[in-house]
Amino acid sequence: MSEFILKHQEGAVLTLTFNRVDKKNALLGEMYTDLSDALERASTDDAVRAVVLQGSVEVFTAGNDLIDFLSNPPDAGKGREVPVFRFLEALRAFPKPIVAAVCGPAVGVGTTLLMHCDLVYAGDNAAFSMPFVNLGVCPEAGSSLLLQNLVGYHRAAEKLMLGEPFYAEEALEMGLVNRILPPHEVNGYAQAQAAKLAAKSVASLRITKALMKQHHPTLSAVMMEEGKHFSELIRGPAAKEAMSAIMEKRRPDFSKC
Ligand code: COA
């Protein structure tokens, strides 16, 4: 496990912490691999009964590392060999409860991964966004399906098409988070909730989660379709323009793409 994902187990709760704070916890391939290894192992390890996914008090994650995106764009043809796709599938299929603790920015996959978690607690400093269109790509992690199931088509379209940030109060009202807390209390509260879950019947929780998740039978196929379009778009002119604009600290010009 790299230094960028910290792994800590207390009792039956496994905590995975994004730890690349100087880069706002932007996710590199090796970080997705570490997360996937940990989740895949935890899914069959009887000693783990619940997982917490957290960042720091200042930042959850700035999403995929943009430089990594440019130098190593995901290729849907390689399926689970692509670290981000492997991680998303491990998260989708994870059979035990996952509790997320979100403070500060949660950009891109930082927001979409929350739709796969069971409980989400947010600091009052949390800022969510899914700026895929602004980067010339498209939604991932099943968010094109899960978000509209959560909030209806028009609100999902607003979040996915405009890609503007929204904050803790709105996320609570949307049903994306369970509770808002002062930032310093979020990780501790998530731990306590996970410990409560870990003390319950594993079989009951597993079946409860499976029963609730079965209502998305097409989710895996949606994620694969999103991945295919994402990997085409990231190689296209709009993504190139968006990334260049970020590097050059200017507004992108999408008039020709
Ligand atoms: N990929 C790579 N590096 C990133 C990053 C990302 N997604 N997000 C932030 N960083 C880096 C910055 O380049 C900067 O590095 P530097 O100190 O070497 O210059 C450092 O993290 C701090 O970022 P900064 O933008 O100064 O912090 P901020 O507090 O002003 O803003 C964010 C935080 C998350 C709102 C802002 O960094 C951001 O919008 N990042 C891009 C998010 C994004 O588009 N992600 C892709 C989603 S699909």
Side-chain angles (χ1 to χ4, degrees):
M1 185 147 294
S2 79
E3 63 194 300
F4 298 138
I5 300 292
L6 303 181
K7 193 175 152 194
H8 172 76
Q9 184 154 349
E10 193 161 325
V13 177
L14 172 68
T15 300
L16 301 173
T17 305
F18 302 130
N19 182 43
R20 198 180 170 223
V21 178
D22 61 327
K23 296 290 179 189
K24 303 289 167 184
N25 291 335
L27 294 163
L28 298 164
E30 68 195 81
M31 295 165 76
Y32 290 123
T33 298
D34 285 350
L35 291 164
S36 307
D37 286 346
L39 287 177
E40 285 167 9
R41 225 172 282 137
S43 69
T44 54
D45 180 354
D46 292 343
V48 176
R49 297 164 71 110
V51 169
V52 172
L53 203 49
Q54 66 184 23
S56 71
V57 169
E58 292 83 27
V59 60
F60 186 59
T61 167
N64 207 104
D65 187 286
L66 290 171
I67 297 162
D68 211 31
F69 249 164
L70 275 182
S71 55
N72 207 1
D75 177 353
K78 294 192 173 154
R80 275 170 40 91
E81 274 176 50
V82 179
V84 62
F85 295 144
R86 181 178 161 215
F87 165 65
L88 293 175
E89 180 54 23
L91 191 65
R92 184 201 66 78
F94 194 69
K96 302 173 188 179
I98 305 184
V99 181
V102 186
C103 293
V107 186
V109 71
T111 291
T112 59
L113 73 79
L114 301 175
M115 293 176 226
H116 295 267
C117 296
D118 301 288
L119 302 176
V120 180
Y121 298 104
D124 56 22
N125 62 345
F128 305 86
S129 61
M130 292 167 279
F132 304 113
V133 168
N134 302 341
L135 293 169
V137 290
C138 68
E140 37 73 314
S143 56
S144 61
L145 172 69
L146 296 175
L147 190 61
Q148 61 172 307
N149 283 355
L150 189 66
V151 298
Y153 180 85
H154 292 104
R155 199 154 185 198
E158 182 183 54
K159 301 302 176 211
L160 289 172
M161 292 183 180
L162 290 175
E164 290 166 355
F166 55 99
Y167 302 96
E169 287 294 341
E170 187 178 356
L172 181 68
E173 183 246 317
M174 286 164 65
L176 183 64
V177 311
N178 291 87
R179 186 167 176 178
I180 303 173
L181 296 141
H184 284 93
E185 293 176 20
V186 177
N187 288 1
Y189 190 82
Q191 292 287 332
Q193 295 296 87
K196 273 194 221 165
L197 290 167
K200 296 186 189 294
S201 155
V202 172
S204 291
L205 280 174
R206 185 187 290 263
I207 301 256
T208 300
K209 181 161 177 169
L211 285 168
M212 292 172 78
K213 297 277 180 179
Q214 74 176 341
H215 298 296
H216 292 142
T218 58
L219 181 55
S220 192
V222 168
M223 287 166 69
M224 276 163 63
E225 196 186 351
E226 288 174 347
K228 187 165 93 45
H229 291 297
F230 195 104
S231 63
E232 281 166 13
L233 285 168
I234 193 119
R235 291 168 171 77
K240 286 203 172 66
E241 169 58 14
M243 303 291 174
S244 307
I246 290 172
M247 303 294 169
E248 292 158 20
K249 299 192 190 304
R250 61 171 173 82
R251 281 183 178 278
D253 173 7
F254 293 123
S255 60
K256 294 186 187 65
C257 40

